[in-house]
Amino acid sequence: MTSALGKDLLGLEGLSADQIRLILDTAEPFKEISERAIKKVPVLRGKTIVNLFFEASTRTRISFEFAEKRLSADTVNVAAGGSSVSKGETLVDTARNLEAMRIDMVVIRHNASGAPHFLAERIESNVINAGDGKHEHPTQGLLDLLTIRDHRPIAGTKVCIVGDVLHSRVARSDIWGLLKLGAQVAVCGPQSLLPLGIRDLGVEVFRRVEDAIAWADVLNVLRLQLERMQTGYIPSLREYYRVFGVTLERLEKAPRDLLILHPGPMNRGVEIDSRVADGPHSVILNQVTNGVAVRMAALYLLAGGKPELAEAAKGGAGR
């Protein structure tokens, strides 16, 4: 049975605004379950989910594990470093072996853009993209949308993504999701860290972080992905912080109260001041909580679940 989202969740670019809203709306009762620390609801009992991570991850992997276990699914964690992949097995071989085990879903993170799509075309199981190369990170984009929506309507809100947009799969998912839901979107960062043709997506570009702060209602601050940089994209970390760091002094000059988001992990004192990350404008910890709820919603919907049943599960959940 095909779900309302289709077979897979590979990116926000391919989803409609209604599908994105469906995930966010379905996440609401699961968010309450998560906030109440209810251990399990039995809506995915009997389902087997494989977490297949070809890149190191802590936050995303643990968030998916929590989501799967709270839905009562059976989970198997596979890290590439300790699997047959490290011995030369290809993604095709991995896909065939997974399918032979009669699993229901695969959550995959891979350093190659398009790897989840490649896998989804070759297995019948549902595939969720947990981040692929520099392409997309759809569940992070969805939790960012949910966090913004917790505080204000998304339509018409001005959201500026600040930092290393070039290497960020989060930025791409955020841009697609925000635009589909009617937000105004901008990016800000050094020219060397902005993708060519970024304006063609319908976003504004700021060269100075002060101008971005003056314009925005929401700042989503991205970390510098130094591990993906092959050459010198910036003069130094100190210079980057001096020119583009989101500091308390800069926020105090904003004409309105801003929401501050960050997908993590943070480089404190590089892209963001600790006083900002831990301050009253920050909703970074809310993002973490919402991450579990959004992933619960995505897993549930892909398994054919109905939003109204998710609401009922909240009421009948036990500890």
Side-chain angles (χ1 to χ4, degrees):
M1 180 177 64
T2 302
S3 75
L5 302 181
K7 173 180 166 292
D8 310 298
L9 177 56
L10 303 177
L12 298 193
E13 182 180 4
L15 294 185
S16 68
D18 286 341
Q19 287 174 315
I20 293 172
R21 291 190 193 97
L22 174 64
I23 299 173
L24 301 183
D25 292 344
T26 306
E28 290 293 347
F30 288 133
K31 181 168 64 175
E32 185 172 335
I33 289 171
S34 181
E35 288 171 347
R36 287 161 53 192
I38 293 172
K39 293 181 179 179
K40 285 192 175 184
V41 291
V43 293
L44 290 188
R45 182 173 294 161
K47 299 286 187 182
T48 301
I49 303 173
V50 173
N51 298 313
L52 185 60
F53 278 64
F54 290 84
E55 279 188 328
S57 170
T58 300
R59 188 177 307 223
T60 299
R61 178 180 55 80
I62 290 175
S63 183
F64 267 110
E65 287 182 36
F66 271 122
E68 293 153 4
K69 289 176 180 177
R70 285 181 177 168
L71 295 174
S72 303
D74 296 319
T75 65
V76 179
N77 297 312
V78 180
S83 72
S84 296
V85 175
S86 63
K87 303 171 186 175
E89 183 173 271
T90 67
L91 189 56
V92 174
D93 293 327
T94 302
R96 289 172 177 165
N97 285 319
L98 289 172
E99 195 75 336
M101 296 176 193
R102 302 295 186 265
I103 61 170
D104 297 291
M105 294 187 194
V106 179
V107 177
I108 179 173
R109 168 170 284 200
H110 203 285
N111 57 9
S113 299
H117 304 71
F118 179 88
L119 185 66
E121 291 170 357
R122 285 159 178 80
I123 65 175
E124 294 181 8
S125 307
N126 307 106
V127 175
I128 296 181
N129 179 6
D132 63 325
K134 295 190 290 185
H135 177 232
E136 277 212 51
H137 193 348
T139 55
Q140 179 70 48
L142 289 163
L143 73 88
D144 289 347
L145 292 171
L146 184 61
T147 304
I148 294 170
R149 198 177 76 164
D150 285 343
H151 295 84
R152 60 194 68 190
I154 294 176
T157 291
K158 297 177 179 179
V159 182
C160 187
I161 302 169
V162 181
D164 186 2
V165 180
L166 179 65
H167 298 102
S168 176
R169 50 197 171 204
V170 174
R172 286 159 179 80
S173 289
D174 276 356
I175 288 169
W176 287 117
L178 288 164
L179 290 175
K180 288 174 186 286
L181 296 189
Q184 298 181 55
V185 183
V187 296
C188 176
Q191 180 67 38
S192 59
L193 293 178
L194 298 180
L196 293 175
I198 186 70
R199 282 191 174 90
D200 296 340
L201 297 179
V203 306
E204 191 165 346
V205 175
F206 290 105
R207 302 297 185 198
R208 299 175 68 250
V209 71
E210 293 85 357
D211 295 337
I213 289 171
W215 175 85
D217 302 305
V218 179
L219 291 185
N220 196 359
V221 186
L222 304 176
R223 73 180 179 91
L224 287 179
Q225 298 193 33
L226 301 174
E227 72 278 9
R228 296 182 185 273
M229 297 183 187
Q230 303 299 318
T231 57
Y233 285 85
I234 57 172
S236 68
L237 297 182
R238 179 180 294 180
E239 181 69 7
Y240 180 87
Y241 182 67
R242 186 185 71 81
V243 178
F244 288 100
V246 178
T247 65
L248 184 61
E249 290 76 17
R250 285 177 167 138
L251 283 188
E252 287 174 341
K253 297 177 182 177
R256 64 190 68 84
D257 286 338
L258 302 183
L259 288 183
I260 303 296
L261 284 73
H262 194 301
M266 287 184 286
N267 295 313
R268 293 172 181 261
V270 177
E271 72 266 1
I272 191 167
D273 187 329
S274 285
R275 295 171 298 168
V276 174
D278 301 326
H281 301 293
S282 172
V283 291
I284 295 170
L285 291 180
N286 300 89
Q287 289 175 270
V288 177
T289 300
N290 284 342
V292 176
V294 157
R295 286 161 182 136
M296 290 174 74
L299 292 162
Y300 174 74
L301 290 170
L302 284 177
K306 305 297 182 185
E308 60 271 18
L309 297 181
E311 183 68 34
K314 178 191 72 175
R319 291 184 180 275

